[in-house]
Amino acid sequence: MSMQPSHQIQPSIPHNKLQIVSPALEPRAIEVAARHCGATQSVVSFIAKGNEMQIRKIRARGYDCLAEIQIEISQVAKDYGARNGLDPFVLDECTRFVLEKFPMIAIPEIRAAYRSWASGEIETGNAEMYGGTMDVRQLGKVLSAWVEYRNKIYFNYCKEAERIAAEKKEEEDKIFAAKYFAENFHSILEGYKAKVEKWDDVPVFLYDALIERGMIQFEDGERKRILAEATVIIAKQIEDARAESIGKPLKVYYADSLESSKEEHAKVVARKISVFRKVFNK
């Protein structure tokens, strides 16, 4: 990788003026990630926002950020203990090192890494600037510890953000499905009427929708009679399942499950029978 000597480079595009739009952050995910990782919410937000400003990403968009990296490294070195600044050739090598080994971080994360190192938030082992000198080894230790720290935070943020997004989508899908069902109820009902041939094929969800619309009416005692009929059907299903379960663990489990909730199963059967007879007229 060829670079101009560090003392001759001037920033071509200030990092804070890059026209890159980061996705909106999820506040609840920031809160959860901060709690799980023992970080502040501002740190989580900083890391999440910085994901779209990774060095490799902004370079892929055509931004030459070499000058910005060198300026950041040089200033950080001065602020955090390099009393005599950096030799231009050491700075060039530090820049190459960041480009090759840490392209997954954003440029402001270099300073964030040193801030976390100074505060003890990240463990770097032996990373002191001996003699007030910063070198590639020292830079690598600090950035390696930072990347491990920030990856943990970003993983927890993304995991929670994805869970929240899936939850929102599920709720939106439910709302859409309910709206579609309500608007197209009669055509949906006619479709089922045309293809259902026995009570067991009736979708049980139709029962509540038909009751709400006043499309099912019961005579006195009719509900109880249908439920009693359904109870007999379930009892027969349990008996048959027991007979078929000998030497078959899965059949035994099915029979046990059916019997443990036979009242609920009977209610489901009663609802299907009610729709089949009173609405489908079969």
Side-chain angles (χ1 to χ4, degrees):
M1 179 186 302
S2 63
M3 296 191 304
Q4 304 172 53
S6 57
H7 60 281
Q8 294 180 4
I9 293 180
Q10 296 299 322
S12 55
I13 303 176
H15 179 74
N16 60 2
K17 292 185 180 180
L18 299 181
Q19 299 301 308
I20 299 176
V21 179
S22 297
L25 301 184
E26 173 52 62
R28 287 183 291 167
I30 291 174
E31 182 181 349
V32 170
R35 186 167 62 250
H36 284 178
C37 300
T40 64
Q41 292 189 32
S42 61
V43 167
V44 177
S45 179
F46 168 76
I47 290 172
K49 285 180 179 177
N51 186 62
E52 291 304 314
M53 297 296 290
Q54 291 178 24
I55 291 169
R56 60 188 171 193
K57 289 186 178 181
I58 63 175
R59 296 193 80 200
R61 289 172 170 85
Y63 294 106
D64 179 7
C65 57
L66 297 181
E68 284 74 22
I69 294 172
Q70 289 200 327
I71 290 171
E72 191 77 352
I73 292 172
S74 183
Q75 190 60 50
V76 165
K78 177 182 176 182
D79 294 343
Y80 284 88
R83 292 190 296 270
N84 300 318
L86 284 179
D87 178 277
F89 295 102
V90 173
L91 180 55
D92 284 346
E93 186 58 31
C94 285
T95 304
R96 290 189 181 92
F97 183 64
V98 169
L99 288 172
E100 292 177 6
K101 302 298 182 181
F102 298 98
M104 76 293 292
I105 67 173
I107 294 172
E109 289 185 65
I110 297 172
R111 177 171 294 277
Y114 275 83
R115 186 178 293 123
S116 295
W117 167 60
S119 66
E121 290 177 312
I122 58 176
E123 290 291 335
T124 60
N126 185 15
E128 299 303 318
M129 292 187 187
Y130 293 109
T133 301
M134 178 182 177
D135 57 21
V136 175
R137 179 196 62 82
Q138 198 274 341
L139 175 66
K141 282 183 174 292
V142 173
L143 292 185
S144 292
W146 166 259
V147 167
E148 182 178 350
Y149 174 70
R150 60 96 67 193
N151 284 353
K152 177 183 176 182
I153 290 174
Y154 189 63
F155 171 79
N156 277 273
Y157 168 79
C158 288
K159 181 181 178 181
E160 184 63 17
E162 288 170 3
R163 187 196 66 78
I164 292 170
E167 191 177 79
K168 286 181 178 178
K169 185 178 185 307
E170 182 180 356
E171 185 60 29
E172 289 171 358
D173 288 347
K174 285 181 180 178
I175 293 172
F176 175 81
K179 184 174 183 290
Y180 179 85
F181 183 74
E183 292 176 351
N184 298 276
F185 177 73
H186 290 288
S187 61
I188 292 171
L189 183 62
E190 291 303 316
Y192 280 118
K193 280 184 179 181
K195 65 183 180 181
V196 167
E197 296 182 354
K198 56 184 186 299
W199 67 261
D200 202 25
D201 294 333
V202 174
V204 72
F205 64 81
L206 286 177
Y207 178 83
D208 287 337
L210 290 163
I211 289 290
E212 288 173 6
R213 290 164 174 78
M215 297 176 68
I216 293 181
Q217 302 291 331
F218 292 99
E219 298 175 1
D220 290 342
E222 188 178 10
R223 283 177 187 264
K224 289 184 178 181
R225 290 194 297 273
I226 294 175
L227 181 58
E229 182 181 349
T231 301
V232 172
I233 291 172
I234 291 297
K236 183 64 168 62
Q237 289 180 355
I238 294 171
E239 181 183 343
D240 292 344
R242 292 290 182 205
E244 296 173 5
S245 66
I246 300 173
K248 298 177 181 178
L250 289 178
K251 289 285 188 178
V252 172
Y253 175 80
Y254 170 71
D256 289 344
S257 175
L258 195 59
E259 187 156 21
S260 67
S261 55
K262 57 186 177 183
E263 291 83 4
E264 290 303 314
H265 283 293
K267 290 178 182 178
V268 170
V269 170
R271 290 173 180 177
K272 288 187 173 189
I273 290 173
S274 298
V275 174
F276 187 71
R277 291 177 181 170
K278 302 183 76 62
V279 178
F280 290 5
N281 300 315
K282 296 182 178 180

